[in-house]
Coordinates of all heavy atoms in Angstrom, one line a residue:
V83 N 87.0 76.6 94.3 CA 87.8 76.9 95.6 C 86.8 77.3 96.7 O 87.2 77.1 97.9 CB 88.9 78.1 95.3 CG1 89.5 78.5 96.6 CG2 89.8 77.6 94.2
G84 N 85.7 77.8 96.4 CA 84.8 78.3 97.4 C 85.2 79.6 98.0 O 85.0 79.9 99.2
A85 N 85.8 80.5 97.2 CA 86.3 81.7 97.7 C 85.3 82.6 98.4 O 85.6 83.3 99.3 CB 87.0 82.5 96.6
T86 N 84.1 82.7 97.8 CA 83.0 83.6 98.4 C 82.7 83.2 99.8 O 82.6 84.0 100.8 CB 81.8 83.6 97.6 OG1 81.2 82.3 97.4 CG2 82.0 84.2 96.2
S87 N 82.6 81.8 100.1 CA 82.3 81.4 101.5 C 83.5 81.7 102.4 O 83.3 82.0 103.5 CB 82.0 79.9 101.5 OG 80.9 79.6 100.7
I88 N 84.7 81.5 101.9 CA 85.9 81.8 102.7 C 85.9 83.3 103.0 O 86.2 83.7 104.2 CB 87.2 81.4 101.9 CG1 87.2 79.8 101.8 CG2 88.4 82.0 102.5 CD1 88.3 79.4 100.8
I89 N 85.7 84.1 102.1 CA 85.7 85.5 102.3 C 84.6 86.0 103.4 O 84.8 86.7 104.3 CB 85.4 86.4 101.0 CG1 86.7 86.2 100.1 CG2 85.1 87.8 101.2 CD1 86.4 86.6 98.6
D90 N 83.4 85.4 103.1 CA 82.4 85.8 104.1 C 82.7 85.3 105.5 O 82.4 86.1 106.5 CB 81.0 85.0 103.7 CG 80.4 85.7 102.4 OD1 80.8 86.8 102.1 OD2 79.5 85.1 101.8
A91 N 83.3 84.2 105.7 CA 83.7 83.7 107.1 C 84.8 84.6 107.6 O 84.6 85.0 108.8 CB 84.2 82.2 107.0
L92 N 85.8 85.0 106.9 CA 86.8 85.8 107.4 C 86.3 87.2 107.7 O 86.7 87.8 108.8 CB 88.0 86.0 106.3 CG 88.7 84.7 106.0 CD1 89.6 84.9 104.8 CD2 89.6 84.3 107.1
D93 N 85.4 87.7 106.9 CA 84.9 89.1 107.1 C 84.0 89.1 108.3 O 84.1 90.0 109.1 CB 84.1 89.5 105.8 CG 83.4 90.9 105.9 OD1 84.2 91.8 106.0 OD2 82.2 90.9 106.0
S94 N 83.1 88.1 108.5 CA 82.2 88.1 109.6 C 83.0 88.0 110.9 O 82.5 88.4 112.0 CB 81.2 87.0 109.5 OG 81.8 85.7 109.5
N95 N 84.1 87.2 110.9 CA 84.9 87.1 112.1 C 85.9 88.2 112.4 O 86.6 88.2 113.4 CB 85.7 85.7 112.0 CG 84.9 84.5 112.0 OD1 83.8 84.5 112.6 ND2 85.3 83.4 111.4
G96 N 85.9 89.2 111.5 CA 86.9 90.3 111.6 C 88.3 89.9 111.4 O 89.2 90.6 111.9
D97 N 88.5 88.8 110.7 CA 89.9 88.4 110.5 C 90.7 89.2 109.3 O 91.8 89.0 109.2 CB 89.9 86.9 110.1 CG 89.6 86.0 111.2 OD1 89.7 86.5 112.4 OD2 89.2 84.8 111.0
I98 N 89.9 89.8 108.5 CA 90.5 90.6 107.4 C 89.9 92.0 107.4 O 88.7 92.2 107.9 CB 90.2 89.9 106.0 CG1 88.8 89.8 105.8 CG2 91.0 88.7 105.9 CD1 88.4 89.3 104.4
D99 N 90.6 93.0 106.8 CA 90.1 94.3 106.8 C 89.1 94.4 105.6 O 89.1 93.4 104.8 CB 91.3 95.2 106.4 CG 91.0 96.7 106.7 OD1 90.0 97.0 107.3 OD2 91.7 97.6 106.3
S100 N 88.3 95.4 105.6 CA 87.1 95.4 104.6 C 87.8 95.7 103.2 O 88.7 96.4 103.0 CB 86.2 96.7 105.0 OG 86.9 97.9 105.0
S101 N 87.1 95.0 102.2 CA 87.6 95.2 100.9 C 86.4 95.0 99.9 O 85.5 94.2 100.1 CB 88.7 94.1 100.6 OG 89.1 94.0 99.3
L102 N 86.5 95.6 98.8 CA 85.8 95.2 97.6 C 86.4 93.9 97.1 O 87.6 93.9 97.0 CB 85.8 96.3 96.6 CG 84.9 97.5 96.7 CD1 85.2 98.5 95.5 CD2 83.4 97.1 96.7
F103 N 85.6 92.9 96.8 CA 86.2 91.7 96.1 C 85.6 91.7 94.7 O 84.4 91.6 94.5 CB 85.8 90.5 96.9 CG 86.5 90.5 98.3 CD1 85.8 90.9 99.4 CD2 87.8 89.9 98.4 CE1 86.5 90.9 100.6 CE2 88.4 89.9 99.6 CZ 87.8 90.3 100.8
V104 N 86.6 91.7 93.7 CA 86.2 91.8 92.4 C 86.7 90.5 91.7 O 87.8 90.2 91.6 CB 86.9 93.0 91.7 CG1 86.5 93.1 90.3 CG2 86.6 94.3 92.5
F105 N 85.7 89.8 91.2 CA 85.9 88.4 90.5 C 85.9 88.6 89.0 O 84.8 89.0 88.4 CB 85.0 87.4 90.9 CG 85.2 87.0 92.4 CD1 84.6 87.7 93.4 CD2 85.9 85.8 92.7 CE1 84.8 87.2 94.7 CE2 86.1 85.4 93.9 CZ 85.5 86.2 95.0
V106 N 87.0 88.4 88.3 CA 87.1 88.7 86.9 C 87.0 87.3 86.1 O 87.9 86.4 86.3 CB 88.4 89.4 86.5 CG1 88.5 89.7 85.0 CG2 88.5 90.7 87.3
S107 N 86.1 87.2 85.2 CA 85.8 86.0 84.5 C 86.9 85.7 83.6 O 87.6 86.6 83.0 CB 84.5 86.1 83.7 OG 84.4 85.0 82.7
M108 N 87.2 84.4 83.3 CA 88.2 84.0 82.3 C 87.7 84.2 80.9 O 88.5 84.0 80.0 CB 88.6 82.5 82.6 CG 87.5 81.5 82.2 SD 88.1 79.8 82.2 CE 88.2 79.6 84.0
E109 N 86.5 84.6 80.7 CA 85.8 84.8 79.4 C 85.6 83.4 78.7 O 84.5 83.1 78.4 CB 86.6 85.7 78.5 CG 85.9 86.3 77.3 CD 85.8 85.3 76.1 OE1 86.9 84.6 75.8 OE2 84.8 85.3 75.4
S110 N 86.6 82.6 78.5 CA 86.4 81.2 77.9 C 87.8 80.6 78.2 O 88.8 81.1 78.5 CB 86.2 81.3 76.4 OG 87.3 81.8 75.8
A111 N 87.7 79.2 78.1 CA 88.8 78.4 78.3 C 89.9 78.7 77.2 O 91.1 78.7 77.5 CB 88.5 76.9 78.2
A112 N 89.4 78.9 76.0 CA 90.4 79.3 74.9 C 91.1 80.5 75.1 O 92.3 80.7 74.9 CB 89.7 79.3 73.5
S113 N 90.4 81.6 75.6 CA 91.0 82.9 75.8 C 92.0 82.8 77.0 O 93.0 83.5 77.1 CB 90.1 83.9 76.0 OG 89.3 83.8 77.3

Side-chain angles (χ1 to χ4, degrees):
V83 176
T86 56
S87 297
I88 291 169
I89 289 165
D90 286 348
L92 292 170
D93 181 66
S94 64
N95 291 332
D97 289 341
I98 56 175
D99 199 11
S100 63
S101 180
L102 281 176
F103 291 95
V104 184
F105 290 85
V106 180
S107 168
M108 69 175 70
E109 197 274 325
S110 68
S113 66

